[in-house]
């Protein structure tokens, strides 16, 4: 992604050309661009060349990095072609939903580890690491949650859930997303915390408590705070970065067993407010707290991009390469995971479908499991990354 000033200048040029001649507008309409701004993101001359087909996990490993993706048990267990591709490309697996409360807690008194256990075994069989996602989140709570949990029993349920799940998988987890998305400056609290049932019932120290319980049960796993909406130079993301840093600083200053920060990285292909300097600074600030960093949920929405898959793939790939080349410059970054591997299975088909109904293309592999330019972009970013 070009920086803001470049975009503005290029945009201005397009606008003035189009205004003067009318030709620009016709050319843009032909190419299927919805806006001048999106036109400015597409660089036909950009070269996504990659030498040799070496899987992403190997390219990453050559730099001391881990590459992997999120997957769903039902797909991995039924689609052999997908499972093979996954094993070939990924050095780490994170369950898309199988370790969330809604999946693990069919009733208030029962834990169901069947799907999670299947995934752990798949990872082990294929020599992959395994991530835990997630112990504390305000979403994907079971249906019974609202009726059962109250101020009186919240702490018991909270501690019991975290201790039981982390003990069950102890020794098999590379890193746990202990707390997910606890920040929401829009909720107007001075600490920037999100109003969640846990905050309401347990107070602001619920986050610290979660880390302490998890780390005690599984001393081997990296304990991660995972957050979304931090990547761009917008007032919203800026406020979120400030709130996250404040939270991380507080946790560290209190001796919380917090080892790493997860930057989700759900990127927008149409976003022009990418500012490498600000992102670098944020990552350096996180690293200075003696925290490792993981890119936990990378993908690039193509929602507002032109329909032509060639143009779309080029813009999406540019977003991948520009983002990763900044992020991987920070030596505290140890892992990159995409939120899915192929366009066949992405949450964005449901959550951010295109207005024209065309299938979305946010991931490194297309729906036939063939690598796209986004794969090249990732390969190039790993190849260029400094060694850890
Ligand atoms: O991809 C996940 C989707 O299938 C689920 O329906 C949804 C709710 O559980 O969660 C999605 O994953 C989210 C992740 O757990 C946390 N960060 C945002 C992800 C995308 O919504």
């Amino acid at each position: 992604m070009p920086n803001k000033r470049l975009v503005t200048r290029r945009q201005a040029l397009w606008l003035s050309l189009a205004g003067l001649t009318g030709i620009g507008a016709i050319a843009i309409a032909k190419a299927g661009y919805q806006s001048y701004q999106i036109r400015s993101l597409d660089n036909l001359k950009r070269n996504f060349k990659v030498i040799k087909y070496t899987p992403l996990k190997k390219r990453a490993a050559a730099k001391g990095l881990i590459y992997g993706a999120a997957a769903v048990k039902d797909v991995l267990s039924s689609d052999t072609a997908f499972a093979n591709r996954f094993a070939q490309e990924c050095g780490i697996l994170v369950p898309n939903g199988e370790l969330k409360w809604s999946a693990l807690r069919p009733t208030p008194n029962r834990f169901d580890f069947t799907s999670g256990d299947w995934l752990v075994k798949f990872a082990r069989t294929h020599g992959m690491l395994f991530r835990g996602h997630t112990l504390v989140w305000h979403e994907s709570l079971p249906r019974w949650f609202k009726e059962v949990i109250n101020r009186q029993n919240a702490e018991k349920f909270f501690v019991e859930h975290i201790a039981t799940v982390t003990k069950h998988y102890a020794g098999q987890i590379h890193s746990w997303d202990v707390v997910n998305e606890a920040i929401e400056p829009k909720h107007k609290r001075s600490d920037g915390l999100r109003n969640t049932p846990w905050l309401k019932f347990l107070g602001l120290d619920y986050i610290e408590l979660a880390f302490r319980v998890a780390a005690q049960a599984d001393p081997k796993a990296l304990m991660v705070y995972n957050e979304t909406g931090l990547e761009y130079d917008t007032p919203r993301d800026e406020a979120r970065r400030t709130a996250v840093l404040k939270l991380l600083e507080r946790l560290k200053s209190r001796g919380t067993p917090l080892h790493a920060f997860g930057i989700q990285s759900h990127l927008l292909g149409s976003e022009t407010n990418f500012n490498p300097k600000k992102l670098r600074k944020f990552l350096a600030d996180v690293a200075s707290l003696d925290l490792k960093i993981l890119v936990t949920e990378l993908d690039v929405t193509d929602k507002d991009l032109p329909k032509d898959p060639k143009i779309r793939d080029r813009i999406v790939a540019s977003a991948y390469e520009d983002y990763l080349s900044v992020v991987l410059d920070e030596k505290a970054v140890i892992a990159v995971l995409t939120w899915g591997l192929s366009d066949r299975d992405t949450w964005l088909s449901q959550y951010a479908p295109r207005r024209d109904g065309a299938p979305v293309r946010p991931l490194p592999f297309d729906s036939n499991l063939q690598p796209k330019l986004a794969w090249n972009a990732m390969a190039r970013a790993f190849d260029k990354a400094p060694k850890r």
Side-chain angles (χ1 to χ4, degrees):
M1 268 164 271
N3 69 30
K4 202 174 173 184
R5 215 184 308 141
L6 252 178
V7 170
T8 319
R9 222 185 291 145
R10 252 197 277 168
Q11 247 171 272
L13 186 67
W14 270 98
L15 279 167
S16 58
L17 273 178
L20 275 176
T21 63
I23 295 169
I26 295 165
I28 291 164
K30 266 196 183 157
Y33 296 109
Q34 285 101 328
S35 75
Y36 297 111
Q37 214 157 14
I38 286 174
R39 169 68 187 86
S40 73
L41 292 171
D42 187 18
N43 179 356
L44 281 165
K45 292 205 189 101
R46 211 163 151 153
N47 164 11
F48 291 102
K49 242 196 204 143
V50 169
I51 305 163
K52 248 174 66 187
Y53 190 94
T54 307
L56 293 179
K57 71 173 177 194
K58 287 205 177 139
R59 301 186 110 103
K63 301 302 172 69
L65 285 159
I66 307 165
Y67 169 71
V72 176
K73 182 228 154 188
D74 288 349
V75 179
L76 273 181
S77 61
S78 61
D79 184 338
T80 314
F82 179 79
N84 289 340
R85 198 44 125 178
F86 200 93
Q88 181 188 28
E89 291 290 327
C90 295
I92 190 163
L93 162 64
V94 60
N96 179 78
E98 289 81 350
L99 297 189
K100 292 173 182 168
W101 275 67
S102 51
L104 290 176
R105 308 297 303 273
T107 70
N109 308 318
R110 208 162 73 79
F111 286 80
D112 180 356
F113 291 111
T114 324
S115 297
D117 291 357
W118 189 94
L119 286 165
V120 171
K121 201 165 155 215
F122 178 90
R124 199 185 318 122
T125 308
H126 294 93
M128 279 176 220
L129 298 168
F130 191 75
R131 296 201 75 230
H133 175 85
T134 174
L135 296 165
V136 181
W137 193 24
H138 60 284
E139 285 186 37
S140 291
L141 293 168
R143 261 187 224 136
W144 52 262
F145 191 89
K146 262 198 185 140
E147 288 119 61
V148 174
I149 309 267
N150 54 44
R151 199 173 292 275
Q152 281 68 46
N153 64 18
E155 185 165 336
K156 174 188 147 296
F157 269 98
F158 186 80
V159 170
E160 181 196 50
H161 180 87
I162 298 169
T164 308
V165 178
T166 43
K167 265 183 213 150
H168 182 85
Y169 290 113
Q172 309 190 73
I173 301 273
H174 168 268
S175 45
W176 258 117
D177 288 338
V178 178
V179 179
N180 189 42
E181 301 172 13
I183 288 293
E184 186 43 276
K186 273 194 219 147
H187 290 177
K188 300 275 180 233
R189 289 172 52 100
S190 62
D191 54 16
L193 289 186
R194 182 191 290 275
N195 281 320
T196 73
W198 298 123
L199 182 71
K200 188 170 114 197
F201 294 140
L202 304 177
L204 71 105
D205 287 330
Y206 81 93
I207 300 177
E208 183 177 337
L209 177 63
F211 278 94
R212 292 198 185 282
V213 174
Q216 201 185 4
D218 186 353
K220 286 210 175 122
L222 282 178
M223 296 301 168
V224 183
Y225 175 74
N226 195 43
E227 190 53 85
T228 190
L230 302 160
E231 297 80 12
Y232 291 111
D233 190 6
T234 58
R236 168 192 170 263
D237 285 16
E238 183 70 38
R240 300 179 57 80
R241 284 191 291 271
T242 306
V244 163
L245 281 173
K246 218 159 117 186
L247 172 64
L248 298 177
E249 274 162 19
R250 179 167 200 275
L251 291 171
K252 284 303 271 192
S253 73
R254 293 170 62 90
T256 313
L258 160 73
H259 312 122
F261 173 65
I263 180 163
Q264 290 189 8
S265 313
H266 291 292
L267 305 182
L268 304 164
S270 57
E271 181 60 80
T272 52
N273 295 306
F274 181 62
N275 184 331
K277 221 170 127 191
K278 285 213 175 148
L279 184 61
R280 265 180 225 284
K281 169 81 168 63
F282 173 66
L283 297 173
D285 287 347
V286 173
S288 74
L289 295 171
D290 196 22
L291 292 171
K292 297 290 183 202
I293 299 170
L294 294 86
V295 173
T296 48
E297 305 185 13
L298 179 60
D299 54 16
V300 180
T301 309
D302 64 357
K303 187 168 194 284
D304 297 315
L305 299 181
K307 190 169 185 186
D308 182 343
K310 272 206 203 100
I311 302 174
R312 246 199 287 168
D313 285 359
R314 218 159 41 221
I315 298 176
V316 165
S318 303
Y320 268 98
E321 193 173 2
D322 292 347
Y323 183 73
L324 282 180
S325 48
V326 172
V327 168
L328 296 179
D329 262 352
E330 170 54 64
K331 293 265 191 84
V333 174
I334 56 165
V336 175
L337 289 99
T338 44
W339 202 243
L341 186 66
S342 112
D343 297 336
R344 215 187 254 193
D345 301 294
T346 162
W347 69 294
L348 294 166
S349 312
Q350 219 188 323
Y351 286 77
R354 294 175 54 83
R355 273 181 274 265
D356 58 22
V360 298
R361 303 175 64 84
L363 288 167
F365 287 86
D366 70 13
S367 47
N368 295 316
L369 304 174
Q370 295 310 302
K372 297 162 37 200
L373 285 187
W375 183 94
N376 292 43
M378 295 194 80
R380 287 164 61 86
F382 289 140
D383 291 354
K384 273 188 247 150
K387 231 179 168 159
R388 275 63 190 147

